[in-house]
Amino acid sequence: MPAEPIAPPAVTDDDPGGRTVRRLVTIVALLAVLPALYLPGLVHNFFDLKIYMSAMDWWTAGHPLYDYVQPDRVQGELYFTYPPFSALLLWPFGLLRLGATVAIFTVLTVAAVVLTTRWLVLPVIARHALPRTFTLTVAVLLVLAVESTRETITFGQINMLLVVLILADLLFAVPQARRWAGVGVGLATALKLFPGIFIVYLLATRRWRAAVVASATAAAATLLAAAVAPGDSWRFWTQELWDNDRVGRTDYTGNQSLFGLLSRLTAPEKPDRLLWLVLVAVVAGYGLWRAVRAARAGDALTGLTLTGLVGALVSPITWTHHIYWFVPAVVLLADAALSANSPAEFRRRRWLAGLAIGTAALIIYGVVSFHDWGVAPVRTDDPVDFVLRNGYVLLSLLLLVVLPIRVTQPATTTTEKSHQMDTTPQ
């Protein structure tokens, strides 16, 4: 009797070759989409970096640093607004050709994206036994696709340097009680005032030594700048710091802060300062309270993410390229969704996964990349426009309430387990 033909092996979902093909297709698809996402931002043509370099040339020629001004079609007159310590950091780049400076800033930003994404994603990969290289590659490409990253690169901003300093400090140095804990936050604060909210976070969580080190580092860097440029330093801290008009229109859609939201409701008039201060107090109080609870539970990433969102909301000016903090929020939501291990948690898993996907979709599409919001102040009086123009503000407020806190150290009761997820608002 002739032998029966042998059927070829069936291809199943467990087939390694099939998995490899699907992963390669996913990566290629993301690589193909990136250029389309960056295309609208090419009009920026490293505008902010050019302002920095032109201001350095102006300063080197002997002019007062904060007299430098450059016109802009949307924002009007724009000045050099960073603290003097930032000028010391930027000054050497003014000696290079502009093309070299652009290349250096772009490479450093991409390197910072890769480094910080590894810090955020590697623990999730280890907890859930995810494919390491594939997951990291997809995560990096998605972070490069986010509007804040695109705007940072195409404007030539320094935001990712600040993120590296803050994450290195608050994810590693502070939780491990290193001697240099606080230095990163201090340097970031001296470079750009926004990171000062993390010193408040250190104080609120009673990390006294780290808070003192951060404050001392910021003060030392500021004094160094004052020794080099005393006149410009005095002018910045006594005059220019308090003038919001130097940084552009507060009602412009790119300003995704509470003050920006209020400015869009009252444009062309300025919003009521007392109302803004009340909102700031409520949001900062609630957001930092949740951040402190996260820190006490041992969840450093949630604590710093909530603090970053608070800082973005309460600052008078928060441009879209400032709001990196949605990135760790998506990581936290995805981690919580993957950690479901009971029927009740599986139901919540769908909600967390949906929020993670929705947040990722919003921050990739963005609020300014694909919309021309005009050059004149226009009051927001339509509900649809209100949501579109304040997408990041509304998302930040939502995340302050629902972002899950992971308990990673023994709690006061014996029923709580290591790595337990508390996904209810605190």
Side-chain angles (χ1 to χ4, degrees), residues 152-229:
T152 293
I153 291 175
T154 56
F155 271 113
Q157 273 284 345
I158 66 171
N159 300 304
M160 286 308 300
L161 168 62
L162 308 182
V163 170
V164 169
L165 292 171
I166 293 166
L167 291 187
D169 220 353
L170 297 181
L171 284 181
F172 305 109
V174 171
Q176 297 169 13
R178 298 294 181 91
R179 294 183 61 183
W180 52 274
V183 170
V185 168
L187 286 174
T189 302
L191 288 167
K192 202 169 183 177
L193 299 178
F194 175 93
I197 190 67
F198 293 100
I199 298 180
V200 178
Y201 169 66
L202 290 173
L203 292 170
T205 55
R206 301 182 181 180
R207 269 69 178 265
W208 308 119
R209 188 180 188 282
V212 169
V213 170
S215 301
T217 301
T222 300
L223 290 173
L224 172 63
V228 174

Side-chain angles (χ1 to χ4, degrees), residues 120 123-124 127-128 171 290 293-303 331-333 335-336 339 403-409 417-423 426:
L120 297 178
V124 180
R127 268 194 293 276
H128 304 290
L171 284 181
R290 288 210 73 212
R293 290 180 67 89
R296 289 177 179 172
D299 191 351
L301 181 56
T302 299
V331 173
L332 288 164
L333 291 169
D335 190 14
S339 298
L403 203 63
I405 293 175
R406 184 179 63 250
V407 178
T408 59
Q409 65 185 24
K417 298 179 181 180
S418 177
H419 298 298
Q420 177 185 357
M421 278 294 197
D422 178 7
T423 55
Q426 301 295 320

Side-chain angles (χ1 to χ4, degrees), residues 32-73:
V33 169
L34 275 179
L37 292 172
Y38 274 83
L39 186 61
L42 295 181
V43 298
H44 301 327
N45 197 24
F46 305 100
F47 184 77
D48 290 358
L49 182 57
K50 289 178 179 178
I51 289 181
Y52 304 155
M53 295 304 100
S54 297
M56 293 305 100
D57 292 341
W58 169 271
W59 195 31
T60 301
H63 302 293
L65 176 61
Y66 296 102
D67 276 353
Y68 179 79
V69 61
Q70 184 166 318
D72 176 62
R73 181 182 71 91

Side-chain angles (χ1 to χ4, degrees), residues 2-315:
E4 294 184 3
I6 300 174
V11 178
T12 68
D13 289 340
D14 295 328
D15 176 53
R19 287 200 302 270
T20 300
V21 170
R22 287 192 295 272
R23 291 171 184 174
L24 287 175
V25 168
T26 300
I27 291 172
V28 171
L30 288 173
L31 286 170
V33 169
L34 275 179
L37 292 172
Y38 274 83
L39 186 61
L42 295 181
V43 298
H44 301 327
N45 197 24
F46 305 100
F47 184 77
D48 290 358
L49 182 57
K50 289 178 179 178
I51 289 181
Y52 304 155
M53 295 304 100
S54 297
M56 293 305 100
D57 292 341
W58 169 271
W59 195 31
T60 301
H63 302 293
L65 176 61
Y66 296 102
D67 276 353
Y68 179 79
V69 61
Q70 184 166 318
D72 176 62
R73 181 182 71 91
V74 175
Q75 302 286 359
E77 292 185 336
L78 296 177
Y79 299 81
F80 185 84
T81 58
Y82 285 179
F85 183 65
S86 287
L88 295 187
L89 178 72
L90 292 168
W91 180 80
F93 291 98
L95 304 177
L96 304 175
R97 290 182 179 274
L98 180 62
T101 301
V102 167
I104 291 171
F105 268 61
T106 302
V107 169
L108 289 177
T109 296
V110 173
V113 166
V114 174
L115 178 63
T116 53
T117 304
R118 281 175 55 87
W119 289 347
L120 297 178
V121 174
L122 282 179
V124 180
I125 291 174
R127 268 194 293 276
H128 304 290
L130 302 175
R132 179 187 175 99
T133 302
F134 172 72
T135 304
L136 274 176
T137 302
V138 169
V140 168
L141 292 176
L142 287 174
V143 175
L144 287 173
V146 169
E147 184 180 60
S148 64
T149 307
R150 303 196 310 264
E151 296 275 286
T152 293
I153 291 175
T154 56
F155 271 113
Q157 273 284 345
I158 66 171
N159 300 304
M160 286 308 300
L161 168 62
L162 308 182
V163 170
V164 169
L165 292 171
I166 293 166
L167 291 187
D169 220 353
L170 297 181
L171 284 181
F172 305 109
V174 171
Q176 297 169 13
R178 298 294 181 91
R179 294 183 61 183
W180 52 274
V183 170
V185 168
L187 286 174
T189 302
L191 288 167
K192 202 169 183 177
L193 299 178
F194 175 93
I197 190 67
F198 293 100
I199 298 180
V200 178
Y201 169 66
L202 290 173
L203 292 170
T205 55
R206 301 182 181 180
R207 269 69 178 265
W208 308 119
R209 188 180 188 282
V212 169
V213 170
S215 301
T217 301
T222 300
L223 290 173
L224 172 63
V228 174
D232 290 311
S233 294
W234 176 260
R235 177 175 171 180
F236 175 81
W237 294 106
T238 60
Q239 299 179 44
E240 312 306 345
L241 173 61
W242 315 104
D243 186 1
N244 288 336
D245 292 334
R246 291 177 60 90
V247 295
R249 285 171 31 213
T250 60
D251 69 285
Y252 177 59
T253 304
N255 179 19
Q256 289 291 305
S257 67
L258 289 171
F259 194 76
L261 181 149
L262 293 176
S263 296
R264 288 184 282 277
L265 290 174
T266 62
E269 283 76 34
K270 295 292 185 182
D272 184 275
R273 292 278 177 162
L274 179 58
L275 173 61
W276 172 63
L277 289 173
V278 170
L279 290 175
V280 164
V282 172
V283 169
Y286 177 76
L288 289 174
W289 173 70
R290 288 210 73 212
V292 169
R293 290 180 67 89
R296 289 177 179 172
D299 191 351
L301 181 56
T302 299
L304 71 88
T305 301
L306 288 167
T307 304
L309 293 173
V310 167
L313 287 167
V314 304
S315 173

Side-chain angles (χ1 to χ4, degrees), residues 294-372:
R296 289 177 179 172
D299 191 351
L301 181 56
T302 299
L304 71 88
T305 301
L306 288 167
T307 304
L309 293 173
V310 167
L313 287 167
V314 304
S315 173
I317 300 289
T318 300
W319 300 128
T320 50
H321 51 264
H322 294 164
I323 316 180
Y324 166 84
W325 309 105
F326 292 134
V327 172
V330 171
V331 173
L332 288 164
L333 291 169
D335 190 14
L338 290 170
S339 298
N341 55 19
S342 72
E345 288 178 344
F346 277 122
R347 287 192 294 272
R348 186 168 291 157
R349 175 179 183 171
R350 290 195 293 269
W351 149 251
L352 292 168
L355 183 56
I357 294 171
T359 298
L362 175 57
I363 63 178
I364 288 173
Y365 183 78
V367 295
V368 296
S369 293
F370 302 98
H371 294 273
D372 184 0

